Amino acid sequence: MNGFERRKEQKKRKILETALTLFMKYNIRKVSVSEIAKEAQVSQVTIYNYFENKDNLVHEVIIFYVDKIWGEYEQLFNSNIPFPTKVKKIIFDKSEVASHINEEFFEYFMKEYSGEDNYIDKLYMEKALPRFMKLFNEGKEQGFVDPSISNEAILLYIQMFKEFLQRGDVTKNILPITEDLTKLFFFGIAGKNEE
C-alpha cells in the first residue's frame, strides 16, 4: 500500500470511528454528515466520496463496529486465561457496551442483524460460532462446562438464542437486560456460576 492509499484508509477509518462514537452517543437521525465531518476533521465531500450517502455510512459503521468487537473477542479467546475469567469478561464487556449505547443505534444494529444475508450473520457462521464452540470445549476440558452436554445440544441452544435475538419485536426489550441474557446464556450451559 503506497502513501496515498494509506492516508486514504486512515481518513476512512477516522470517519468510521467518529461516526460510531456519535451514533452510539446520540440518535443516528440526529447526527448529521456535517457533524461527523467536523468531528473527523474532513470535508463533507470526503465523506460522500467514500460512502456516497448517510445510509451507506451507517451500514459501514455497523460493519466497522462488528469487526472491532470481534477483534477484541478473538484476543480474549486466544488468551491463556481460564474459562470462567473469559466468560466473566464477555459478560462485563457486553454489559459495559450496553450501558453506553444509544437505543436507536442498537435498534438499527439489530435490524441489520435480522436482515437476510447480512454481514453479522456471515461473521457469526464463519468465525464466531466455531470459536464459541472451541470456548465451550475448553470449558469442558477445564471442568466448567458439563462434559455430558453434547456439542449438538450446545449448538441448538446457541441457534435458539440467536434466532430469538433476530426477531424484530424483541429488540427494544433486549438492551436493558443484556447482562442478564449473557449470564443466562453462559451459566445456563455451565450449570453453575464459578467465582
Side-chain angles (χ1 to χ4, degrees), residues 16 32-33 45 54 63 72 80 88 107 123 132 143 150 152 157 165 191-192:
L16 291 168
S32 68
V33 172
V45 173
K54 187 176 174 184
I63 291 171
E72 292 167 6
N80 291 326
K88 285 178 187 172
E107 286 177 22
L123 184 132
F132 269 103
S150 70
E152 291 77 15
Y157 184 76
L165 292 177
K192 58 189 169 193

Side-chain angles (χ1 to χ4, degrees), residues 102-138:
N102 177 278
E103 188 175 305
E104 190 216 12
F105 179 80
F106 181 74
E107 286 177 22
Y108 193 96
F109 179 86
M110 294 307 290
K111 182 180 169 190
E112 180 87 12
Y113 181 48
S114 64
E116 291 289 318
D117 195 33
N118 65 74
Y119 180 80
I120 301 166
D121 223 23
K122 185 176 179 190
L123 184 132
Y124 165 79
M125 292 303 292
E126 293 175 3
K127 295 181 181 178
L129 186 59
R131 194 55 192 93
F132 269 103
M133 289 311 301
K134 187 175 177 185
L135 176 67
F136 293 129
N137 286 331
E138 287 174 26

Side-chain angles (χ1 to χ4, degrees), residues 68-78 90 93-94:
K68 179 178 179 272
I69 296 297
W70 178 245
E72 292 167 6
Y73 277 138
E74 280 189 316
Q75 285 182 331
L76 175 65
F77 289 146
N78 293 330
I90 290 168
D93 287 352
K94 279 189 173 276

Side-chain angles (χ1 to χ4, degrees), residues 15-47:
I15 293 166
L16 291 168
E17 288 170 349
T18 301
L20 175 61
T21 300
L22 293 171
F23 291 159
M24 286 183 75
K25 190 173 181 180
Y26 306 106
N27 184 315
I28 290 173
R29 287 184 290 257
K30 289 184 180 178
V31 176
S32 68
V33 172
S34 65
E35 289 171 297
I36 296 165
K38 182 179 176 185
E39 288 291 318
Q41 298 177 340
V42 299
S43 71
Q44 290 182 55
V45 173
T46 300
I47 293 176

